[in-house]
Amino acid sequence: MNPLLVPLIESIGHNFRVVLASGSPRRKELLDRLNLSYEVIPSNFAEDLDKSKFASAADYVISNAVIKAQEVYQRVRDQSDKPVLVIGADTVVVSSDGVILEKPASPEDAADTLKGLSGKSNMVYTGVCLIIGGTEAGNVTIEKAIESTEVTFDELDDDMLQAYVSTGEPTDKAGSYAYQSYACFFIKEIKGDFYNVVGFPCARFYQMLRDLHRRGVL
C-alpha cells in the first residue's frame, strides 16, 4: 500500500516546525499515518487542575489540552527559525454518573473503575489544541476542538476483569481500558469516532488543519 501523501500536509511539514506535545505512543502512531513531518516534545504539565472548578468534562479536557500545548510552545518558540505548530491533546472518560476517569493509580483502582463501567455507557472526550506561532512576537493563533464518543460495555465477569487487569493494559489508559486492544472483547458498541476513544480524533484534527489553511493561517 502506498503512503498517504496530501499536498496540504506536505506543505505544513515543510513550512512549519511541527511539535506533538504528547508522549502518547497511540497519538504518535495515528499521527504517523498522515505522513506529517513532526517531532515529539512531551508537555511537562502536571495535569493537576481541580476538576470541581469546571462546568463540564469537555471544559476540563480542553483546558488540559491548551495548557499542554502552551507549555511546549513556550519552550520551543524562540528555538525555531520558522513558524511553529504545536499539537496538544488530552483524553478523559466520563462515567454514566458524571465522574471524570483518568489513568488509574494502581491495578486495584483500575479494577474498581472497570467494575463501575461494566454494563453501562461512558463518554470519551478528547480536547485538541493547535498553537501556531509565526516568527514575529505576538503573532499567535490558538485553535481548539472537542470530540466526544459514547462507549457501551457488556457486563464484565470476574474472570475477564481479573485477566484484563493482569495484562497491565489499563495502567496508562484513561478510564482503565483500551478499545483498540483487549477491551474489544467486552465493549459492545460505540457511537462516534473510534479513534477518539484511542486518544486522537484524526478526522477532527485534519479538519482543523484544513480550516486553518483556508483562513490563511497555515
Side-chain angles (χ1 to χ4, degrees):
M1 183 170 61
N2 294 324
L4 181 66
L5 301 176
V6 182
L8 168 61
I9 301 305
E10 293 182 288
S11 174
I12 292 172
H14 178 74
N15 294 312
F16 289 81
R17 180 185 180 187
V18 183
V19 179
L20 175 62
S22 172
S24 165
R26 293 164 295 283
R27 293 190 181 119
K28 183 178 185 303
E29 177 187 351
L30 293 174
L31 197 55
D32 283 346
R33 297 182 187 181
L34 197 53
N35 286 293
L36 175 65
S37 177
Y38 72 97
E39 59 190 287
V40 175
I41 302 179
S43 169
N44 292 326
F45 172 50
E47 299 186 46
D48 54 358
L49 297 179
D50 183 351
K51 299 179 183 66
S52 67
K53 302 295 185 183
F54 295 88
S56 68
D59 290 342
Y60 172 74
V61 79
I62 195 61
S63 295
N64 275 328
V66 170
I67 295 173
K68 287 179 180 181
Q70 288 176 330
E71 191 277 326
V72 172
Y73 177 73
Q74 294 293 331
R75 282 192 278 149
V76 303
R77 63 178 180 176
D78 297 327
Q79 304 171 4
S80 304
D81 55 4
K82 58 183 180 180
V84 174
L85 165 60
V86 176
I87 305 164
D90 189 58
T91 300
V92 296
V93 174
V94 182
S95 68
S96 59
D97 53 0
V99 177
I100 296 175
L101 305 170
E102 297 184 281
K103 297 173 184 177
S106 65
E108 293 75 21
D109 185 27
D112 288 341
T113 296
L114 291 164
K115 287 177 184 177
L117 296 176
S118 177
K120 302 174 184 176
S121 292
N122 61 82
M123 294 297 299
V124 179
Y125 294 93
T126 298
V128 179
C129 176
L130 308 182
I131 299 182
I132 303 96
T135 54
E136 298 180 9
N139 185 20
V140 177
T141 297
I142 299 178
E143 193 79 359
K144 298 178 285 186
I146 301 169
E147 191 72 31
S148 61
T149 305
E150 183 179 5
V151 179
T152 302
F153 275 40
D154 262 326
E155 293 287 348
L156 259 171
D157 60 73
D158 288 340
D159 285 348
M160 174 59 85
L161 176 63
Q162 294 304 321
Y164 184 58
V165 171
S166 295
T167 67
E169 183 172 278
T171 304
D172 64 340
K173 309 296 189 302
S176 302
Y177 69 88
Y179 184 22
Q180 71 274 21
S181 188
Y182 296 129
C184 67
F185 292 107
F186 51 82
I187 290 175
K188 66 179 182 180
E189 183 182 15
I190 71 165
K191 296 178 181 178
D193 185 346
F194 165 83
Y195 291 106
N196 184 51
V197 182
V198 178
F200 195 69
C202 302
R204 177 61 66 93
F205 172 67
Y206 179 69
Q207 182 184 59
M208 294 171 75
L209 296 180
R210 186 178 57 190
D211 289 348
L212 286 165
H213 175 66
R214 288 172 176 169
R215 285 156 43 195
V217 178
L218 291 177

